[in-house]
């Protein structure tokens, strides 16, 4: 929308927003403007899945300036990552935005750009949504996907002795935090590359789909609240424990950041924000699953074994890791950035 | 959850809420606890639709005491009503709740009861969701449905000369407001019946599906923001105008309330909160469409004609009706109850 950079959403009103912002952007989407959005046609037998999640303030916005683009990108990734954990193909996203009337049209368009760009990067799109004014911004979305019947991945289905794989490249978001706060340095373009990855995390849709299609995964879950929370939830869903290795591999750039900060690779790998998948596979399938993932351009490493004793261990000691939790005073949400980094990485 | 009536969500934390509230309620739902919820299997070719909407404070809560049950019911109805307007069969609902940590477990369970009861009353269910703490409560949901390919109803597709039908029984919510504020009286059980209908509005899913299945509707839209806003939007989507009758029929109880208040039936019928559908049908199909709707137990009345002149008229005069609009200072949201009723009904 040109010539409206100073305008706020409250100046346009709902009908103005619809006409000047949303229609030009989405009118090519069939079903735009109807009461219900069109997700698309499904012609083969399918299991349909859905997931809904709202978006916290992105860490990258605390590190640099606020920019709703990053919140939009993260909103889409959070939801698509849950489809990835199910091994589903995305059919589309519906978004719901609550925004103050004082939100500028320009920043609203940054938000939409972030959601749309992220969806496009994952081969899907926004099909519909809802916008409402409110004192406190809140961004929610629902992603809908389809699975080939019988192939849907779940948290349950793993057995003792199964190996845990981490699909994806961990450590970028918190490496960016360490770089931005001056605790490590990298030359350009390495530093910018880390920042870019931190701002535009990708859901592991390819990984999920190849694991679902091949039947190699017995259970899967995405790393939304940190590795500890993920492994603990996966264990609980299966009545199992896990023995996690201390040997983690990071890509070279986050590895360099970790070294400069005196952190182990594990310390960075157990954080969140990179949207990897933790996958349980039979011991004899580790090699072929790893190969299948790498064939899709997805990094994969074995990080431990599921055990029958119900305990979580790391190396030889009990593992008491960090986990985000909502409705909890110990949640990291809302913490100060300086203590946040210590809290998240100091205990590792 | 027994023995926890004084507990707040913040006392339980996310894991406690999951274990003590959500698991007992939803563990029979396949896919509960997974990253993605299971909407179900689709075996026949389908067009899939989705809609997302958040829930304002229900008017019935302003009229009597706050009770999250009503917000839960309304949240589900709002979303299912959009599926009704598409002629879709619901596959399921995902819900997203932002609630203060001080919300009691008891009132959270009232919220869930309202959503679950409403879904059950419409033959569907909650398949998954998200819960998050926040200073300001916010309730959102997404409903997903399927249509037989080619039968999906849209806002567009109507022609000049088509007749407008109103499917559903209007006027109950605002009749309840007039009763509660002492502007009219009804004997029991009539008064309770009006209140019950106001608290538990039903989405017109049956109406939508019969209209989609028979091909009788050329366009449809639900009355979410009042009859004026609905007819105006339907006209805009088709590049048409509409001539609306002044003769509206109300059920006996809201008719009595209108009479006592010196209001025309139209004045009550043009409000919102009863989730009717406005449907465009060919002039020659009015009778058969009305009969088909009544065969499903849905009231239907002809309320006007679509015109080629682009004007909205009521009787012989231009129609300037009331409409809710977000991001607008003139929206009724947040108004005082006393002025609200005058604003909504006084101009009619």
């Amino acid at each position: 929308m040109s010539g409206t950079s100073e305008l706020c959403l409250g100046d346009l009103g709902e009908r103005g927003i619809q006409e000047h912002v949303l229609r030009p952007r989405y009118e090519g989407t069939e079903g735009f403007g109807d009461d219900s959005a069109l997700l698309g046609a499904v012609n083969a037998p399918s299991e349909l899945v859905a997931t809904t999640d709202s978006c916290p303030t992105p860490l990258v916005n605390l590190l640099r300036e606020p920019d709703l683009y990053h919140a939009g990108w993260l909103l889409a990734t959070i939801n698509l990552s849950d489809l990835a954990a199910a091994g589903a193909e995305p059919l589309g996203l519906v978004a719901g935005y609550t925004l103050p009337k004082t939100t500028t049209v320009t920043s609203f368009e940054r938000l939409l750009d972030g959601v749309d760009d992220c969806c496009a990067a994952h081969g899907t799109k926004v099909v519909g949504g809802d916008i409402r004014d409110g004192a406190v911004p809140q961004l929610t979305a629902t992603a809908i996907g389809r699975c080939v019947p019988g192939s849907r991945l779940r948290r349950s289905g793993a057995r003792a002795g199964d190996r845990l794989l981490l699909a994806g490249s961990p450590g970028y978001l918190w490496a960016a935090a360490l770089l931005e706060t001056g605790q490590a340095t990298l030359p350009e373009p390495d530093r910018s590359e880390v920042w870019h990855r931190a701002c535009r995390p990708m859901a592991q849709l390819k990984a999920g789909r190849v694991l679902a299609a091949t039947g190699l995964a017995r259970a899967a879950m995405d790393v939304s609240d940190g590795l500890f929370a993920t492994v603990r939830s996966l264990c609980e869903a299966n009545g199992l424990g896990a023995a996690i290795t201390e040997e983690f591999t990071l890509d070279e750039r986050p590895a360099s950041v970790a070294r400069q900060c005196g952190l182990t690779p594990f310390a960075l790998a157990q954080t969140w924000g990179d949207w990897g998948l933790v996958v349980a596979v039979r011991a004899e399938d580790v090699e072929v699953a790893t190969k299948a993932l790498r064939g899709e351009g997805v990094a994969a490493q074995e990080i431990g074994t599921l055990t029958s004793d119900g305990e979580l261990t790391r190396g030889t000691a009990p593992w008491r890791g960090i986990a985000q939790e909502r409705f909890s005073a110990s949640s990291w949400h809302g913490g100060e950035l300086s203590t946040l980094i210590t809290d998240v990485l100091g205990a590792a």
Side-chain angles (χ1 to χ4, degrees), chain A:
Chain A
M1 186 179 185
S2 58
T4 56
S5 57
E6 321 74 12
L7 278 180
C8 293
L9 298 182
D11 298 326
L12 289 180
E14 185 179 7
R15 283 161 57 83
I17 296 167
Q18 191 78 7
E19 183 182 344
H20 296 294
V21 182
L22 300 176
R23 185 176 302 279
R25 181 178 290 259
Y26 295 117
E27 69 183 342
T29 302
E30 196 191 334
F32 172 80
D34 284 325
D35 292 296
S36 283
L38 179 65
L39 276 166
V42 170
N43 296 312
S46 302
E47 277 187 352
L48 300 176
V49 294
T51 180
T52 190
D53 239 319
S54 53
C55 184
T57 302
L59 181 59
V60 294
N61 278 0
L62 303 179
L63 293 167
R64 290 193 186 173
E65 72 291 337
D67 181 347
L68 281 174
Y69 184 92
H70 302 311
W73 185 286
L74 183 58
L75 176 66
T77 295
I78 289 175
N79 282 284
L80 294 172
S81 182
D82 283 334
L83 293 189
E89 168 197 2
L91 294 170
L93 202 84
V94 291
Y97 307 124
T98 299
L99 293 166
K101 290 180 184 176
T102 53
T103 306
T104 64
V105 171
T106 303
S107 54
F108 180 50
E109 292 193 313
R110 286 291 291 167
L111 170 64
L112 300 177
D113 283 345
V115 177
D116 290 340
D117 287 355
C118 182
C119 284
H122 290 85
T124 187
K125 65 181 179 183
V126 171
V127 297
D130 176 51
I131 176 168
R132 185 175 290 264
D133 57 291
V136 179
Q138 180 156 331
L139 315 176
T140 68
T142 300
I144 297 102
R146 69 171 291 275
C147 300
V148 175
S151 77
R152 179 171 55 103
L153 304 181
R154 306 193 53 182
R155 292 187 182 179
S156 56
R159 304 259 176 96
D162 284 353
R163 302 303 161 85
L164 293 176
L165 296 186
L166 175 62
S169 304
Y172 278 92
L173 177 63
W174 289 86
L178 293 165
L179 287 166
E180 287 296 310
T181 54
Q183 299 178 62
T185 58
L186 283 179
E188 290 297 353
D190 295 346
R191 183 185 169 128
S192 293
E193 171 63 18
V194 171
W195 180 252
H196 183 84
R197 292 278 293 254
C199 292
R200 290 173 177 75
M202 292 287 288
Q204 296 293 347
L205 285 166
K206 277 188 194 168
R209 288 176 70 180
V210 73
L211 291 167
T214 55
L216 290 166
R218 310 234 287 198
M221 189 177 163
D222 72 327
V223 183
S224 48
D225 298 324
L227 193 65
F228 174 74
T230 303
V231 171
R232 182 178 59 182
S233 294
L234 203 60
C235 285
E236 285 172 356
N238 291 285
L240 298 172
I244 298 295
T245 177
E246 298 196 284
E247 305 299 320
F248 274 69
T249 303
L250 297 174
D251 287 354
E252 179 45 33
R253 291 162 184 140
S256 169
V257 170
R259 274 194 305 275
Q260 293 178 51
C261 296
L263 295 169
T264 63
F266 175 81
L268 262 191
Q270 51 91 46
T271 57
W272 54 81
D274 301 285
W275 304 96
L277 294 182
V278 172
V279 186
V281 300
R282 293 174 192 83
E284 60 268 32
D285 288 340
V286 166
E287 201 171 332
V288 62
T290 305
K291 206 167 164 181
L293 289 167
R294 289 183 185 154
E296 297 289 330
V298 179
Q301 56 187 305
E302 188 178 340
I303 62 165
T305 303
L306 290 172
T307 61
S308 55
D309 62 10
E311 303 296 317
L312 296 178
T313 61
R314 180 162 76 88
T316 54
W319 183 20
R320 307 203 198 295
I322 47 163
Q324 294 190 68
E325 188 181 3
R326 295 161 183 180
F327 290 98
S328 160
S330 65
S331 165
W332 75 273
H333 286 299
E336 287 294 315
L337 186 59
S338 55
T339 57
L340 201 60
I341 294 178
T342 313
D343 287 350
V344 170
L345 296 173

